[in-house]
Amino acid sequence: MSVLVNKNSRVIVQGFTGKEGTFHAEQMIAYGTNVVGGVTPGKGGSLHLEKPIFNTVLDARNQAGANVSIIFVPPAFAADAIMEAADAGIELIVAITEGIPVQDMVKVKNFLSTKKSRLIGPNCPGVITPDEAKVGIMPGFVFKKGSVGIVSKSGTLTYEAADQVAKAGLGVTTAIGIGGDPIIGTTTKEAVELFMNDPETEAIVMIGEIGGNLEADAARWIQAGGNKKPVIGFIAGQTAPAGRRMGHAGAIIGGAEDTAAAKMAIMQQCGLHVVASPAEIGETVAKVLKGVTA
Amino acid sequence: MNLHEYQAKELLKKNGASIQEGIVAETVEQAVEAAKKLDELYNSKWVVVKSQIHAGGRGKGKIRGTEQNGVALAKSLDKVKEIASNILGGVLVTKQTGAAGKTVHKILVAQDVYYPGESEPKEFYISVLMDRGTGKNVFIYSTEGGMDIEEVAEKTPELVHKEWIDPSQGLQEFQCRRIAFNLGLSGNAFKEMTKFVKALYKTYITSDAAMVEINPCLKTSDNKIIAVDGKISLDDNALYRHPDLEALRDISEEDPTEVEATNADLNYVQLDGNVGCMVNGAGLAMATMDMIKLNGGEPANFLDVGGTANAERVEKAFRIILKDPNVKAILVNIFGGIVRCDRVAQGVVDAYNSIGNIPVPIIVRLQGTNAVEAKKLIDESGLKVRPAILLKEAAEEVRKALA
């Protein structure tokens, strides 16, 4: 098994005919993802990449049976796109768009609280279940099938982790890039929970960043649940100065709890396997899993 | 993006908040004129001269080489002249600026608001910002104004109150009343505070602010509620819908190298270490900095070349990193996904040839799409570049380069 996406996912692309949407839709189709069409308001009824274009997400759901949407809409229109997908009853919405205003996301989060949809992102690389479905912008070949779940705030660090896991002779059930913005749809804790409940996932890699308390929340939840599966954790930004935004809108040290050191200490106390160097993620997973099976 | 105090106060006033009135001056003469004008308009015999820089701690901070504080009370026009000439053009060093300090180009000459009257003046703290935990906007306020709020929260958490705003309803009247009651106000000051809270919220929402902070917010001796200081930072992602606010940007407050990087679409933050780095992706960039530290170095910068790193950007990034004389080695760490490693490698080779003699060792770690072709390109270029494929190997190379 896997979480969130698999070979049965019926994916549509919002912002299908734009430059980004087109490029990544092609890549996803080439990977084998079941892309059933896309949405570009005003272009409904025509074809793009040999797939139907719909005017609305509701049309795409009703006519193509879409249950997953990936969003490449520019930041000024992205909040609207997410809410349209949720209103149409799309089960999983993956928002790739970077740079959505915070107040737009306050509205989106509130809107989603009344809907059944799950949002991943925004400002994230997406979700991949190796050999089944890639709903994102990650390089598919890096991810090998296996038993490790990955949840990460950072895109390229997700690829790095997946690559190290593969080089350690292991693979990934699903990798979830949750995004680096101050407001995101699915939290670290929620992603970890999905993996805890997935019978195929034997270990979890949890990659965080400075800023916010998502990793601390997840760590406490893992401990409260009795550390059912080993979790290998890394927090980027041990050398980041306070008060400076490090690329991601959410990656800024505000209070004492926001620092990498504080987060790593909490994770350690909660029984996670914390690595200090990003170069040690793969070998630590291998070591921990060997310990479990031995 | 941050606003100056005088800009923040103008914005607050426009949205209906009462403020400590003031006039901006860039010369000593203007400062004296401003003081005269404040006397005329507000009958303010005394004035406060306030340095306008993007950093806190101005009152306790000192102009370098003098005993002059960054904020000072002047009880005569002669004193205004003296303080203004001490401050203007000087370098103000505060707890927040670090040792480098910041040059003061502008001062705000403001009315004295701590005049005696029917009741004692009282200072409060009020701010509005987005609470990441709930995804809602929240007022944070306290009776302990004029102090470092983090310190208040740590020592006396019971004195810091929060009021969350329902995203679908916005700020409600009862919430304004609750804030005013919790601040211990009554009578006219109570009414004034509810109006003030509404004006703050309006300022916050209509300007897409990341934070509006009033510290201190003052109840005057005649029971008015006014902003004595004002700190507003705006959401960079929302600036596209506020061209009027974007025009308030003060480039002189920003690091020139960081401005240059931004113009080249690079995300760069200057740090004070000895190993420069160039990475794609913010998380990997931070992780690379951490790895430099674990291997005996100190990161000289954060630099994210973004998801579409091409030869031109790589060269620009090299030039920016090399401006820093502290850099003893450069680590390029690219995990190619959409970015093809061979293109980045070509960028490194081109940059090397076009910049000429790069005096520090360069470690290039390219992994992902076309990593093998990239390594070959670098190996065959004859450049003194140390290639690596694994992150571990790159770390080892950093250690060697610094030894």
Side-chain angles (χ1 to χ4, degrees):
Chain A
M1 260 185 44
S2 55
V3 304
L4 298 176
V5 296
N6 57 37
K7 56 184 183 303
N8 300 320
S9 301
R10 298 177 66 81
V11 181
I12 50 160
V13 181
Q14 285 177 262
F16 192 32
T17 54
K19 191 172 155 243
E20 295 279 305
T22 301
F23 177 78
H24 290 291
E26 271 177 334
Q27 300 283 316
M28 287 191 285
I29 293 165
Y31 188 80
T33 309
N34 186 15
V35 175
V36 296
V39 176
T40 298
K43 291 190 184 169
S46 49
L47 289 176
H48 183 60
L49 308 178
E50 297 168 20
K51 308 280 179 190
I53 306 179
F54 302 94
N55 280 326
T56 68
V57 178
L58 193 60
D59 285 350
R61 202 197 72 148
N62 290 341
Q63 293 166 36
N67 60 359
V68 174
S69 177
I70 180 164
I71 295 178
F72 291 100
V73 172
F77 314 103
D80 181 66
I82 296 169
M83 291 193 278
E84 184 186 354
D87 187 67
I90 295 292
E91 290 160 31
L92 180 72
I93 305 164
V94 179
I96 305 298
T97 310
E98 178 177 359
I100 304 178
V102 171
Q103 291 303 325
D104 290 9
M105 284 308 299
V106 170
K107 291 192 190 106
V108 167
K109 189 176 163 93
N110 184 52
F111 186 82
L112 290 177
S113 68
T114 64
K115 306 285 173 197
K116 289 198 180 106
S117 308
R118 174 186 287 286
L119 172 68
I120 302 284
N123 189 13
C124 77
V127 184
I128 185 168
T129 294
D131 301 343
E132 296 197 33
K134 168 179 125 152
V135 184
I137 60 171
M138 59 287 274
F141 72 92
V142 176
F143 297 80
K144 309 289 180 226
K145 198 157 195 61
S147 61
V148 181
I150 300 179
V151 46
S152 168
K153 269 187 185 172
S154 147
T156 39
L157 210 42
T158 311
Y159 318 159
E160 180 69 49
D163 186 54
Q164 287 184 27
V165 165
K167 291 209 162 70
L170 297 161
V172 170
T173 45
T174 299
I176 310 172
I178 60 169
D181 272 4
I183 296 184
I184 52 174
T186 297
T187 62
T188 310
K189 183 227 129 190
E190 288 164 345
V192 168
E193 190 173 358
L194 292 170
F195 287 128
M196 285 289 181
N197 294 330
D198 172 40
E200 250 180 43
T201 301
E202 290 169 21
I204 301 164
V205 173
M206 180 176 122
I207 297 170
E209 288 176 0
I210 52 166
N213 47 13
L214 294 185
E215 299 84 1
D217 287 350
R220 293 192 180 105
W221 181 86
I222 292 163
Q223 189 184 35
N227 298 68
K228 278 190 294 185
K229 293 177 185 178
V231 181
I232 295 85
F234 173 72
I235 302 288
Q238 296 163 60
T239 50
R244 298 301 305 271
R245 173 174 138 167
M246 306 305 272
H248 286 159
I252 181 163
I253 297 172
E257 292 269 297
D258 283 359
T259 65
K263 291 184 186 211
M264 288 165 106
I266 292 169
M267 284 155 59
Q268 201 111 43
Q269 283 158 19
C270 291
L272 277 65
H273 303 269
V274 179
V275 296
S277 167
E280 292 164 6
I281 297 170
E283 60 194 61
T284 309
V285 174
K287 223 181 281 168
V288 167
L289 271 181
K290 224 174 255 166
V292 168
T293 49
Chain B
M1 174 185 146
N2 293 320
L3 299 184
H4 281 297
E5 176 193 358
Y6 76 92
Q7 296 168 329
K9 280 175 162 174
E10 276 169 23
L11 197 56
L12 286 161
K13 192 178 174 181
K14 212 175 90 189
N15 285 290
S18 299
I19 58 165
Q20 173 199 39
E21 297 288 345
I23 298 167
V24 181
E26 292 180 47
T27 65
V28 177
E29 294 71 36
Q30 285 174 5
V32 173
E33 282 310 307
K36 285 184 191 161
K37 190 97 186 159
L38 289 172
D39 186 12
E40 205 179 296
L41 290 173
Y42 307 103
N43 192 29
S44 185
K45 303 291 174 205
W46 297 354
V47 293
V48 188
V49 180
K50 307 170 101 173
S51 305
Q52 299 296 292
I53 58 164
H54 287 179
R58 295 170 299 165
K60 287 192 184 121
K62 288 201 170 106
I63 299 290
R64 184 179 292 150
T66 73
E67 283 303 303
Q68 178 65 57
N69 290 113
V71 175
L73 179 68
K75 297 184 180 178
S76 68
L77 290 179
D78 280 348
K79 199 72 189 166
V80 172
K81 210 169 168 178
E82 184 194 319
I83 297 169
S85 51
N86 284 347
I87 291 180
L88 281 168
V91 176
L92 181 56
V93 180
T94 79
K95 217 169 92 182
Q96 288 186 16
T97 61
K102 284 198 160 180
T103 306
V104 186
H105 301 289
K106 285 177 184 155
I107 49 176
L108 178 64
V109 182
Q111 65 176 143
D112 169 38
V113 285
Y114 292 83
Y115 46 82
E118 58 192 77
S119 64
E120 279 295 306
K122 169 92 183 99
E123 292 183 330
F124 304 112
Y125 172 94
I126 308 184
S127 64
V128 204
L129 49 97
M130 201 279 295
D131 172 31
R132 289 169 71 154
T134 58
K136 291 177 182 171
N137 296 314
V138 63
F139 272 87
I140 298 177
Y141 62 102
S142 172
T143 49
E144 307 307 289
M147 297 161 58
D148 180 358
I149 193 66
E150 292 209 357
E151 217 177 294
V152 178
E154 199 178 307
K155 287 182 185 151
T156 48
E158 69 281 3
L159 296 178
V160 178
H161 304 275
K162 289 183 179 176
E163 187 74 37
W164 281 273
I165 312 301
D166 184 324
S168 49
Q169 301 305 320
L171 177 69
Q172 298 298 302
E173 288 287 341
F174 77 89
Q175 298 185 293
C176 300
R177 292 198 298 272
R178 182 150 60 201
I179 292 172
F181 279 128
N182 282 340
L183 291 174
L185 296 168
S186 59
N188 194 52
F190 175 88
K191 270 186 228 149
E192 288 272 323
M193 181 55 88
T194 58
K195 264 193 263 172
F196 189 82
V197 169
K198 263 180 266 180
L200 286 196
Y201 185 69
K202 192 175 164 203
T203 308
Y204 174 78
I205 293 292
T206 58
S207 62
D208 267 304
M211 183 182 70
V212 174
E213 184 182 55
I214 312 298
N215 190 25
C217 161
L218 181 74
K219 182 197 76 67
T220 60
S221 62
D222 50 356
N223 295 317
K224 288 182 195 140
I225 302 293
I226 63 170
V228 179
D229 196 359
K231 197 171 154 194
I232 295 182
S233 54
L234 303 170
D235 178 1
D236 291 336
N237 289 340
L239 281 177
Y240 72 89
R241 50 192 179 205
H242 304 285
D244 53 327
L245 297 176
E246 195 168 13
L248 298 177
R249 166 162 267 147
D250 182 355
I251 296 287
S252 72
E253 283 288 329
E254 295 169 29
D255 182 303
T257 312
E258 289 180 17
V259 173
E260 188 187 338
T262 306
N263 291 338
D265 257 342
L266 298 166
N267 207 328
Y268 173 86
V269 177
Q270 168 93 52
L271 301 168
D272 48 15
N274 55 2
V275 181
C277 54
M278 182 192 309
V279 190
N280 66 330
L284 189 60
M286 279 189 277
T288 304
M289 287 158 54
D290 296 345
M291 205 184 67
I292 289 170
K293 171 117 179 169
L294 288 168
N295 286 278
E298 285 286 343
N301 65 275
F302 165 94
L303 200 163
D304 175 8
V305 289
T308 51
N310 54 25
E312 197 183 316
R313 273 220 222 161
V314 168
E315 181 176 336
K316 186 79 195 167
F318 265 119
R319 288 187 186 274
I320 284 171
I321 294 172
L322 285 168
K323 279 190 176 183
D324 181 351
N326 296 329
V327 168
K328 298 283 176 283
I330 298 176
L331 169 59
V332 179
N333 184 14
I334 303 287
F335 201 109
I338 308 311
V339 178
R340 281 172 42 190
C341 289
D342 52 335
R343 286 209 186 140
V344 176
Q346 191 60 52
V348 173
V349 174
D350 289 352
Y352 217 109
N353 290 333
S354 109
I355 295 173
N357 185 27
I358 294 181
V360 297
I362 298 180
I363 301 130
V364 180
R365 185 266 179 157
L366 296 161
Q367 176 63 291
T369 312
N370 293 5
V372 176
E373 290 87 338
K375 186 166 184 299
K376 194 163 164 243
L377 228 157
I378 298 231
D379 287 344
E380 288 172 358
S381 71
L383 299 179
K384 277 178 271 165
V385 168
R386 308 174 188 198
I389 284 190
L390 296 180
L391 199 49
K392 242 188 163 160
E393 296 166 358
E396 202 42 53
E397 289 295 333
V398 169
R399 195 182 281 276
K400 275 192 228 156
L402 291 173

